[in-house]
Amino acid sequence: MASFKLPGPEPAQTLEGHEGAVLSLSWTKNGQYIMTASQDKSVRLWNPHSGKHIKKFAGCHNQEVNDVLIADDNSKFVSCGSDKLIFQWDVTSGQVVRKFTGHERKVNALAFGPKEEVLLSASHDKTVRIWDLRARGKGPIQVLTGAVDSVLCLMTHGDEIITGSVDGGLRSYDVRQGQLVTDQLQQPIGSISVSNDGQCLLVSTLDSHIHLLEHLDGSELTSYTGHTNKRVKVQSALDPTDSFIASGSEDGKLHFWELVEATPLAGAQQGHSAAVLCLAFFEETLVSASADGVIKVWRPSSGC
Amino acid sequence: MSLGVGPTAALEAVGGTPSRWLRARQKMKYTAKEEFTTPAEEKQINSLYTDLCSRDDEVREKAAESLASLCKGDRLAKALAKNLTPMLHGLKAGESGPVKLAILGALRSITEKGHAISVATHAYALLPCLKDENVLVQRKVSALYRVLAEEGAAAMVARDVTSIMLCFEVTQANGVSLMAPLEALSAIAGAGGGTAVARVVERLLGGLRDPRPKIRTSTCATLAAIARGGAKELLGSLGLSAEAQSDVLTSGTLFEMLVVVALDDKDDEVRLTAADALRCLPEADPDTCDQTRQRFPQLVERVQTLQKTGSAKGEAIEIISSAMGMTSGEACVICQEPLHLDGGPQTQMLEKLTKQMQICLSKLQNPELDDKAKERYQDMITTLKNQMSKIGYDVDELDDLGKRSKRESYVEVKRPDGSIAKSRGERTFYGAFEGGFSAGYWGTVGSKEGWEPASFSSSRSKRHADAAPRVEDYMDEEDLRDHRSSRKTIAARDEFASRQVQARGMGSAALTTGISQDLEEELFGAQRLGTRLLRASIVPQNENDSSTPSAPSTAPKAKKSYGCAPPPPGYAAKPSESAQPDGGVELQQWPGKKLATLHASQAPAIERQLEAELERLWQSKTDLHGIGYFLGGGSGCGRIPSNRRLYMSTARAKNVSSSTKAIGYSQFGTGVLDQDEYDVWEEVYEHETDKRVHYHPALKDEDVEEVRLAALDDIRPRSKEGAPEEVPGFVKAELPDKETRDFSRWHPPPVPRGYKGVHLIEVSPLQEAQEGSKEHQQLLEFQDKHGQQRLMDPAFRAQLLGEQTRPKEAEAEASEAKVAAPPGPPTEEDQQRSIQRSAEPLWQAVPEHQKQNLLNALGRNFVIGATQDMDGKAARHEPFKNDPSKQKRYAKFCLAMEGRAAFSEALKESHGLSEVERETELQEFGRVYRSFRQQNPDADIAKALEEKGSAQPSAPLIRRTVTPWAPDKLLCRRWGVPEPRPSGFSDRPAAEPKKQQRKYNEQVKGKETKKPAEVAAAAEQAGRKPVADPAPNLAVAESGELTRPPKSLFTSIFGDDDD
């Protein structure tokens, strides 16, 4: 844990090109590239290491793209947007391979099932839909209708589908056991991530709190405050070694906390000039993107 | 080898035509600028023309010669060609030979200079020359014809073919047969007039009998030219006349004749040309030469003998034999004779060999064959092949026979998506995921020809003959048989009941005439109009029966009314009433009846009979078609109040009501002034024909109708008083609509409530559902109350979405509340702090009636209604909540009232309030406090406040519910997990959570070693919380026997660890 270093004070790269807020970003599995989904209706592929913009995928989404998800083999990716549509793209050709329709409102988040045989999508229509990626059925395999308000975030972990909704419900659907566990956090949930051991869930709520929850019983281990997150979905993440927590903030800063003590680390970095909406780690490299469309790549400073 | 002869001969016949023509054309191009003629030349030409008309033979001769010489120049030839008529004077019947020759020469020159068309238009002047006694003239004119044909005017001179032929015949008869006419014919035929020349082909055959070989040659050439010139089939089908047959050969076709000529003629050239000509005939077609051989066995025999003897006469025999498919190049391997083309040892041999080959091949297919045997079979096959090739059979072809046919039976075609398919309509397997086998044409329902199946015939262009169904259409064979034998016309019972009665009466009456009914029926067929007329004219019948319309029920019933509610109940029953003359309505007469009665008084009985019969027929007329009928019938629209005009737009109704405008439209077109307030196009769209079809005929435009009636006045038969002038047998068709005139009795169909006469766009079910839903209602209400931006507030969203308070939450809250002081004002304070925590049912613990009282005491600003949520909205309207400092002051006030704090302390801070404000506030505090105290005399406010203060910093409580959830079967499969049992989640081991908990604790403790203090607090919290949710563990504990052993046990046994 101690081996892991905080990102340095200055960004290693600044990627500019998006004409709208960057709403989601995703690393390829090998850590070579990132993809970002933006309000400007496009998805872009970048090389964060060299800082190059490689490709722009646009023309299909008619409204902002809310999430992007890259397949394991990096050949395809999936994007979802406020136009209620989900597209599966071919990375090299830039063509849409498949289109999933059925959501009645904008689609907020995406996740893959194990082996990428299913795709899950969380939507503003209060449902999570599960789509079959192996067969080309028309409709979804199943629609999860537990939430009473927009489902903002979604992740799968093991046999569980964990969703966070504006109604404050943190719902985990256990496919193996066939049960739904709902933790009522009383606050809209904007981000969920899981620790490496799968024991803890890091949940951002829209009351400027980030909670570390014991996954099994739903009890709160710690909560982290100091950042601002009241209005929009702001992503938080555990670092790859689970030693600290990073989160964006609506004030444009990047916040870091020590995992256990919940003490803010290294002060808050003034990373962006607009709200930091999403961030993602790959090993030591942290990529953050903000509402002004700027993506920044952070690496641990060589000094410390 | 032998084929070399033909084309050259052919070229000679048609020879050079195009090149010559082209040359002339080219010349024309160069001489185009020299079109003009000098005045001197014109003068000269004119004088020559006049000379040509002079009486002196010599002058004419000279003039003609001069003209001929003039025509040799290109420029003048053109000038002369413009006006040939004067020149043609020289060709008149009585003209002398030299003049004619000169003129013909001139014409030929003109023709050769490229003015064939202008010469050909005057070809009529050449006809007399063809009959000329002078052979030279005949030859010259024939030559001119040939040149004309060659120069491109063949089609124009083709009509003179008979004359040319005649010319030839005449010369032949005179013993000086000319070649020139034949050449002319062949030129015409060769230049495309083959069919025209073919008319005289029979006469042409006479040329074959000519003693001069040259004539025979050119005859043959002409025949060839005819065949090449497009009359090949015609010649082929030509049977020769008896005369020709008797002359030339026994059985008669041209082919035979030519063959005979080609074989027998003495002259080589004739033979060659004849052979060439016969090659042009359809019989010589190599594809059908087998048939030819069968048709002409004699010829075959002869050719064979000639071939055998080797006394073949040069090329001709070769041409013939090749034309008949009897080339002697190859000889049969078996008998060393020329090939046995129609059977013989060769074919037998071939059959035998083929059979052997087949046997060998089938043996080879046998898998149990050992290698040696296979080899032997292969050897056999090769020898067989050798033998077959020896008898002239293409072995390679045979080799490929099986395979190739298969390979070529389809063509592989690239489909649009890139895959390969076969294109002969076979069922192609696209793959299981692409829909299996192909169907239709390329997976469509169409065919190769298009989308219309062959059996399809459009009913638009080809209407079914009798669209109106007859009763017979609905009968099966048995019924039809009975029907035919009974010879009765089938009629609907009710409608025609009276008619049947009448017919029966007549049937019986027929007996009185002395003609048996059967005979009558046989003669006329039952129930024919003629029969009835006959009967009516013969039989003096009871007047009462026939002259009065039999019953009111005979009134036309099948009145057509589309798109409208059925006529009112009184409608059908009307006729009985209306039959009696009604003073008010003048048209309520039965014209037919009137007609009959009028006649009844004057005409003799027989006539009455006839009339009665006609009338009866008329009565049975149920439709509105025919003479004397208008679309729609009577007029009564004016009487409907405008609000009852269902199918009329208001603009139109207005138009109708104002009589001046209406006339303007229908009679004189749409004037500018007419367009006052109605839409012209509306009128157009509601055009008469359309309207009549869809709407009740009574609902129509009175004025328009009147105008039309007026227009038809003189054509229309007069009704009423004018009955005597009426066309007998036809009456004015006002009857059917008579009833509808009386609108005082007619009630319009009921209009559904809310009917606006406007087509409304249907609301989609989804939208409807959304609009009708509770949520939608709530949303609307909510937006009314709070406006749009409140939607973003989670608390308000919760309210809006009708989130239910969770029972467990309530319990927890209640337990907390029990610990704390009874609720009341402090609760509100608590509430204020927990604004961010939405939907906390703080009021749950307050008894219902108390709450109501309390709210009343607090005034109208507080939330009304016990079920109302107590979060956001209540907080917003609550004065204390809006003002935290005031809340604080109130707390202090409460403490002071409880005696826990000094009053002075409560009062000392004025917080910048004025005295008056402070006063009123205190009064308000007092009122609230008093009412609270009244309700909860025992409540310990101070304690509650303290408690609350201490409880505040604790972390928000996380509430957990566990419910069964059934993942989809497919989802489980995709997820790679077994389907959960329907019994739900109780079969999971209880140990696992604990185990994992332990794991985490260990982890945390690992950290604890480093930072003990902080983690201890966290761990303490973690340890404390699970108590809040004992549910899952409890469930597991209860089903003690059912629980499976812990997973670790499985893991230890099976060693599968997928964690």
Side-chain angles (χ1 to χ4, degrees):
Chain A
M1 280 176 234
S3 65
F4 199 81
K5 296 161 192 164
L6 275 176
E10 288 302 316
Q13 298 285 350
T14 306
L15 314 175
E16 290 180 32
H18 273 301
E19 292 147 26
V22 179
L23 300 177
S24 170
L25 70 84
S26 169
W27 281 92
T28 55
K29 282 286 173 299
N30 55 12
Q32 291 292 310
Y33 305 100
I34 58 164
M35 283 188 126
T36 51
S38 164
Q39 218 166 10
D40 64 7
K41 307 174 190 175
S42 71
V43 173
R44 285 171 198 256
L45 175 65
W46 312 82
N47 185 334
H49 306 294
S50 65
K52 275 185 185 149
H53 173 228
I54 299 164
K55 197 161 183 169
K56 179 184 175 185
F57 302 89
C60 284
H61 281 294
N62 287 322
Q63 289 180 42
E64 62 205 36
V65 188
N66 287 326
D67 200 2
V68 61
L69 197 62
I70 306 172
D72 271 348
D73 58 358
N74 296 337
S75 67
K76 286 173 186 161
F77 72 93
V78 193
S79 68
C80 65
S82 294
D83 52 1
K84 310 171 198 169
L85 300 176
I86 303 160
F87 291 110
Q88 190 179 25
W89 304 68
D90 187 80
V91 175
T92 40
S93 70
Q95 299 290 312
V96 165
V97 182
R98 202 175 158 185
K99 179 177 164 187
F100 303 89
T101 54
H103 275 298
E104 290 154 20
R105 296 289 171 84
K106 65 176 185 178
V107 189
N108 289 323
L110 295 170
F112 279 127
K115 286 187 253 162
E116 291 180 11
E117 289 184 355
V118 293
L119 174 71
L120 299 98
S121 60
S123 163
H124 197 67
D125 65 8
K126 306 177 210 169
T127 63
V128 172
R129 279 168 207 251
I130 305 173
W131 311 88
D132 197 347
L133 288 181
R134 280 185 57 170
R136 282 190 175 255
K138 196 163 178 270
I141 298 177
Q142 194 170 12
V143 180
L144 310 181
T145 51
V148 291
D149 202 344
S150 176
V151 186
L152 280 185
C153 47
L154 169 75
M155 61 166 289
T156 55
H157 177 252
D159 295 336
E160 280 177 309
I161 303 163
I162 304 168
T163 67
S165 165
V166 176
D167 64 11
L170 179 71
R171 294 178 175 79
S172 30
Y173 299 83
D174 194 318
V175 181
R176 193 185 283 271
Q177 293 185 56
Q179 72 179 25
L180 161 63
V181 178
T182 310
D183 290 328
Q184 183 50 250
L185 299 188
Q186 312 287 1
Q187 285 297 326
I189 297 166
S191 165
I192 305 171
S193 28
V194 68
S195 63
N196 281 340
D197 58 3
Q199 306 291 321
C200 301
L201 291 179
L202 187 71
V203 179
S204 295
T205 53
L206 266 66
D207 58 348
S208 302
H209 278 74
I210 301 171
H211 306 277
L212 185 68
L213 304 179
E214 170 72 52
H215 182 29
L216 272 168
D217 54 16
S219 58
E220 181 171 332
L221 301 172
T222 358
S223 73
Y224 311 89
T225 53
H227 66 302
T228 326
N229 181 15
K230 286 179 185 278
R231 291 175 51 239
V232 290
K233 183 179 160 185
V234 166
Q235 211 173 356
S236 60
L238 284 149
D239 85 286
T241 53
D242 281 353
S243 57
F244 63 88
I245 282 157
S247 170
S249 168
E250 285 165 20
D251 57 10
K253 288 179 184 167
L254 276 168
H255 290 260
F256 301 96
W257 294 269
E258 211 284 328
L259 178 86
V260 181
E261 296 98 331
T263 48
L265 290 175
Q269 273 175 312
Q270 186 63 44
H272 292 267
S273 50
V276 182
L277 298 183
C278 47
L279 49 84
F281 278 102
F282 181 80
E283 291 169 358
E284 292 193 328
T285 315
L286 171 70
V287 181
S288 65
S290 73
D292 58 0
V294 176
I295 304 153
K296 290 187 177 174
V297 185
W298 311 86
R299 287 213 194 81
S301 49
S302 49
C304 57
Chain B
M1 40 170 194
S2 59
L3 302 183
V5 187
T8 50
L11 267 176
E12 263 174 71
V14 191
T17 312
S19 63
R20 213 161 164 185
W21 192 69
L22 270 178
R23 229 187 303 133
R25 272 290 147 120
Q26 248 170 357
K27 259 187 200 167
M28 252 177 72
K29 228 197 261 170
Y30 291 122
T31 57
K33 55 188 171 191
E34 301 162 27
E35 273 180 30
F36 64 94
T37 49
T38 59
E41 281 168 342
E42 269 180 32
K43 203 176 170 186
Q44 190 195 0
I45 290 168
N46 282 338
S47 70
L48 284 176
Y49 280 161
T50 43
D51 285 354
L52 207 57
C53 299
S54 80
R55 291 188 179 177
D56 192 343
D57 282 358
E58 281 186 20
V59 174
R60 276 179 290 166
E61 206 171 312
K62 271 188 182 170
E65 275 169 11
S66 312
L67 279 171
S69 63
L70 278 178
C71 288
K72 282 179 181 149
D74 287 343
R75 189 163 50 87
L76 284 177
K78 175 140 194 173
L80 288 169
K82 278 178 188 166
N83 187 11
L84 282 174
T85 338
M87 204 193 286
L88 297 178
H89 279 291
L91 293 179
K92 273 190 272 181
E95 200 57 78
S96 65
V99 178
K100 279 185 183 174
L101 285 175
I103 296 294
L104 287 173
L107 287 176
R108 184 172 168 167
S109 312
I110 292 170
T111 310
E112 281 172 348
K113 302 282 179 235
H115 310 293
I117 302 296
S118 40
V119 176
T121 46
H122 298 93
Y124 58 89
L126 304 178
L127 289 178
C129 299
L130 284 173
K131 293 168 192 163
D132 203 287
E133 299 97 46
N134 194 337
V135 183
L136 289 177
V137 173
Q138 283 180 326
R139 202 180 67 185
K140 193 98 181 177
V141 81
S142 300
L144 179 58
Y145 269 111
R146 180 178 55 91
V147 175
L148 277 172
E150 284 171 5
E151 291 291 332
M156 296 178 76
V157 296
R159 61 195 164 182
D160 298 337
V161 161
T162 354
S163 304
I164 299 168
M165 194 61 228
L166 194 67
C167 171
F168 171 72
E169 281 171 341
V170 168
T171 54
Q172 201 181 20
N174 291 344
V176 277
S177 43
L178 284 172
M179 239 168 69
L182 291 180
E183 279 171 358
L185 285 177
S186 89
I188 291 169
T195 35
V197 184
R199 278 184 294 166
V200 296
V201 76
E202 226 167 278
R203 288 154 73 186
L204 193 63
L205 294 181
L208 290 176
R209 291 193 301 267
D210 198 276
R212 287 170 64 195
K214 271 195 176 177
I215 298 298
R216 292 203 298 272
T217 313
S218 55
T219 309
C220 289
T222 311
L223 284 172
I226 291 168
R228 288 203 187 93
K232 183 176 177 180
E233 301 306 316
L234 201 64
L235 287 188
S237 61
L238 200 69
L240 295 178
S241 67
E243 189 199 351
Q245 279 183 28
S246 62
D247 275 349
V248 186
L249 258 180
T250 43
S251 70
T253 63
L254 190 61
F255 180 76
E256 267 183 287
M257 194 168 167
L258 282 175
V259 170
V260 170
V261 171
L263 291 176
D264 295 349
D265 203 280
K266 290 160 208 141
D267 193 275
D268 278 350
E269 202 171 337
V270 176
R271 285 207 306 271
L272 208 58
T273 331
D276 188 52
L278 75 86
R279 274 202 326 175
C280 302
L281 292 176
E283 282 91 340
D285 196 327
D287 293 341
T288 57
C289 61
D290 295 333
Q291 288 177 19
T292 315
R293 283 200 302 275
Q294 281 172 12
R295 260 175 78 190
F296 310 113
Q298 289 180 332
L299 291 182
V300 172
E301 212 171 291
R302 227 182 123 189
V303 171
Q304 278 178 351
T305 48
L306 279 175
Q307 278 174 343
K308 260 187 254 175
T309 51
S311 61
K313 291 167 187 172
E315 287 167 315
I317 188 73
E318 279 179 24
I319 293 173
I320 292 169
S321 50
S322 76
M324 295 177 75
M326 296 162 48
T327 16
S328 54
E330 295 160 275
C332 175
V333 261
I334 297 154
C335 52
Q336 295 304 317
E337 298 227 331
L339 280 180
H340 319 281
L341 288 162
D342 28 22
Q346 192 191 12
T347 40
Q348 289 170 13
M349 193 68 172
L350 187 66
E351 266 174 38
K352 202 172 152 191
L353 290 175
T354 326
K355 208 173 252 174
Q356 285 174 349
M357 183 88 92
Q358 277 171 351
I359 292 166
C360 290
L361 286 170
S362 62
K363 294 258 172 168
L364 266 179
Q365 298 296 317
N366 192 356
E368 290 161 25
L369 219 61
D370 65 314
D371 289 348
K372 262 191 181 173
K374 263 186 192 172
E375 240 170 70
R376 244 186 319 169
Y377 278 121
Q378 288 287 6
D379 286 349
M380 276 172 76
I381 286 170
T382 36
T383 25
L384 283 169
K385 272 184 191 169
N386 265 331
Q387 286 180 1
M388 284 168 98
S389 68
K390 268 181 199 163
I391 60 165
Y393 202 90
D394 188 358
V395 188
D396 292 334
E397 205 178 311
L398 184 87
D399 221 1
D400 291 341
L401 217 60
K403 298 171 208 161
R404 198 199 290 166
S405 63
K406 212 172 189 179
R407 203 192 307 147
E408 288 180 354
S409 67
Y410 60 83
V411 182
E412 282 183 341
V413 168
K414 206 159 196 184
R415 288 163 69 217
D417 60 0
S419 59
I420 300 294
K422 302 163 203 165
S423 77
R424 282 271 177 102
E426 302 95 324
R427 282 153 59 81
T428 309
F429 190 63
Y430 292 155
F433 296 107
E434 303 282 328
F437 282 105
S438 68
Y441 184 72
W442 294 105
T444 70
V445 294
S447 64
K448 194 171 187 177
E449 289 75 30
W451 289 88
E452 277 185 10
S455 61
F456 175 79
S457 76
S458 167
S459 67
R460 191 176 279 219
S461 57
K462 207 169 133 191
R463 287 232 168 261
H464 194 255
D466 39 4
R470 296 169 302 145
V471 185
E472 284 83 351
D473 292 340
Y474 300 103
M475 293 168 117
D476 61 4
E477 286 168 26
E478 201 177 340
D479 289 338
L480 274 173
R481 203 168 53 236
D482 292 350
H483 168 55
R484 264 190 230 110
S485 62
S486 76
R487 294 184 190 172
K488 271 183 199 155
T489 308
I490 292 185
R493 178 177 291 244
D494 288 6
E495 200 169 353
F496 299 101
S498 63
R499 230 173 103 186
Q500 281 175 341
V501 166
Q502 222 163 4
R504 234 178 287 128
M506 286 190 176
S508 61
L511 291 173
T512 61
T513 61
I515 309 168
S516 77
Q517 200 174 355
D518 285 358
L519 180 62
E520 197 179 277
E521 276 178 4
E522 252 178 41
L523 281 173
F524 303 110
Q527 310 297 334
R528 294 253 177 82
L529 173 63
T531 323
R532 288 200 216 112
L533 286 175
L534 184 70
R535 279 199 201 110
S537 60
I538 293 168
V539 185
Q541 222 186 347
N542 190 2
E543 280 175 29
N544 296 339
D545 275 353
S546 52
S547 62
T548 48
S550 51
S553 63
T554 53
K557 276 174 189 163
K559 183 152 169 31
K560 289 180 182 170
S561 52
Y562 300 103
C564 187
Y571 177 76
K574 277 286 169 54
S576 59
E577 290 169 27
S578 59
Q580 299 140 17
D582 186 7
V585 186
E586 58 166 11
L587 282 173
Q588 284 200 342
Q589 281 283 353
W590 196 312
K593 185 193 164 197
K594 188 160 210 166
L595 175 93
T597 47
L598 270 171
H599 281 269
S601 57
Q602 307 154 357
I606 290 172
E607 208 176 321
R608 271 196 342 246
Q609 277 295 288
L610 176 64
E611 291 297 336
E613 178 60 25
L614 285 172
E615 194 198 348
R616 198 186 56 73
L617 284 173
W618 170 76
Q619 277 171 31
S620 63
K621 187 171 168 62
T622 56
D623 57 4
L624 300 179
H625 311 303
I627 302 174
Y629 284 80
F630 306 115
L631 282 171
S635 60
C637 182
R639 277 174 226 168
I640 330 166
S642 62
N643 59 354
R644 284 199 185 172
R645 285 174 208 242
L646 279 182
Y647 300 103
M648 214 180 289
S649 69
T650 48
R652 188 181 167 78
K654 221 180 275 169
N655 180 37
V656 165
S657 59
S658 66
S659 56
T660 49
K661 278 177 191 168
I663 292 167
Y665 169 67
S666 63
Q667 208 160 26
F668 305 114
T670 312
V672 181
L673 295 172
D674 290 339
Q675 299 184 357
D676 191 7
E677 269 186 45
Y678 72 95
D679 184 9
V680 182
W681 290 107
E682 199 176 11
E683 289 282 353
V684 171
Y685 287 130
E686 287 189 355
H687 201 265
E688 295 295 312
T689 49
D690 301 340
K691 214 180 62 173
R692 291 292 172 269
V693 172
H694 296 296
Y695 299 150
H696 195 279
L699 293 171
K700 63 179 194 54
D701 202 321
E702 186 182 29
D703 303 285
V704 173
E705 182 64 16
E706 263 173 21
V707 168
R708 216 183 26 196
L709 286 179
L712 282 169
D713 228 7
D714 39 0
I715 322 168
R716 190 161 58 123
R718 306 246 161 238
S719 62
K720 295 155 259 173
E721 297 81 23
E725 300 136 39
E726 230 169 52
V727 181
F730 296 105
V731 279
K732 187 167 163 282
E734 271 156 355
L735 176 70
D737 292 312
K738 186 182 44 172
E739 293 84 358
T740 59
R741 280 168 211 293
D742 189 5
F743 278 99
S744 58
R745 289 163 197 274
W746 190 80
H747 301 289
V751 181
R753 236 152 54 91
Y755 176 75
K756 297 191 193 78
V758 182
H759 180 73
L760 290 168
I761 295 160
E762 214 171 287
V763 180
S764 76
L766 180 71
Q767 201 182 337
E768 209 168 33
Q770 262 183 3
E771 275 172 10
S773 72
K774 214 176 86 190
E775 280 183 22
H776 188 75
Q777 217 89 48
Q778 279 178 341
L779 180 68
L780 287 180
E781 280 171 26
F782 190 85
Q783 279 184 346
D784 278 350
K785 270 190 249 171
H786 308 299
Q788 191 69 38
Q789 75 242 48
R790 267 304 191 176
L791 283 173
M792 306 315 291
D793 190 328
F796 282 87
R797 285 182 71 93
Q799 179 203 345
L800 178 64
L801 292 164
E803 278 177 22
Q804 299 303 310
T805 50
R806 292 153 198 83
K808 231 172 262 171
E809 225 173 291
E811 269 172 43
E813 205 60 45
S815 63
E816 264 186 20
K818 266 175 213 160
V819 177
T827 318
E828 278 146 31
E829 284 176 51
D830 185 15
Q831 223 173 352
Q832 186 225 337
R833 279 183 210 100
S834 62
I835 287 170
Q836 288 177 339
R837 291 192 281 147
S838 66
E840 275 186 273
L842 296 177
W843 285 75
Q844 212 79 13
V846 185
E848 215 58 32
H849 59 282
Q850 288 181 7
K851 194 154 62 180
Q852 198 58 46
N853 283 337
L854 189 58
L855 286 170
N856 285 340
L858 287 170
R860 301 291 299 175
N861 275 342
F862 283 87
V863 179
I864 306 300
T867 54
Q868 199 87 17
D869 62 315
M870 292 307 293
D871 52 358
K873 199 169 132 251
R876 202 159 61 86
H877 292 298
E878 216 271 329
F880 292 3
K881 275 178 186 172
N882 281 349
D883 192 350
S885 61
K886 190 177 180 183
Q887 192 66 43
K888 221 180 263 174
R889 288 198 296 278
Y890 179 66
K892 276 180 187 159
F893 175 79
C894 286
L895 285 175
M897 289 298 279
E898 290 293 306
R900 303 290 172 101
F903 250 104
S904 56
E905 201 182 321
L907 293 171
K908 75 181 175 193
E909 294 169 58
S910 65
H911 299 283
L913 294 172
S914 70
E915 275 305 309
V916 183
E917 280 172 333
R918 188 86 187 117
E919 199 72 11
T920 46
E921 195 185 72
L922 279 177
Q923 278 174 11
E924 192 186 349
F925 284 169
R927 198 170 65 236
V928 172
Y929 179 77
R930 239 190 339 272
S931 68
F932 176 72
R933 265 285 158 231
Q934 277 173 3
Q935 300 302 328
N936 308 290
D938 309 325
D940 190 350
I941 294 172
K943 199 179 167 190
L945 282 171
E946 278 160 20
E947 188 81 12
K948 198 152 38 53
S950 66
Q952 192 55 38
S954 73
L957 193 65
I958 294 171
R959 292 161 184 86
R960 167 167 281 207
T961 48
V962 182
T963 46
W965 167 70
D968 194 83
K969 199 175 169 186
L970 183 59
L971 177 62
C972 290
R973 204 190 306 157
R974 291 280 182 264
W975 212 271
V977 296
E979 235 181 306
R981 301 228 193 112
S983 59
F985 45 93
S986 62
D987 60 347
R988 284 297 278 179
E992 203 182 4
K994 276 177 191 163
K995 191 183 87 185
Q996 291 187 352
Q997 180 70 46
R998 197 169 60 238
K999 254 189 202 169
Y1000 177 74
N1001 285 343
E1002 279 163 13
Q1003 239 177 6
V1004 171
K1005 266 165 202 157
K1007 273 185 188 175
E1008 213 172 340
T1009 52
K1010 275 190 280 173
K1011 289 141 191 161
E1014 293 89 346
V1015 180
E1020 190 187 55
Q1021 272 181 357
R1024 201 172 69 87
K1025 286 295 154 2
V1027 187
D1029 180 29
N1033 297 351
L1034 209 72
V1036 171
E1038 273 169 5
S1039 56
E1041 286 96 39
L1042 288 175
T1043 47
R1044 296 199 317 200
K1047 203 179 172 188
S1048 54
L1049 184 58
F1050 287 102
T1051 314
S1052 61
I1053 294 168
F1054 300 110
D1056 102 58
D1057 193 352
D1058 52 359
D1059 279 351

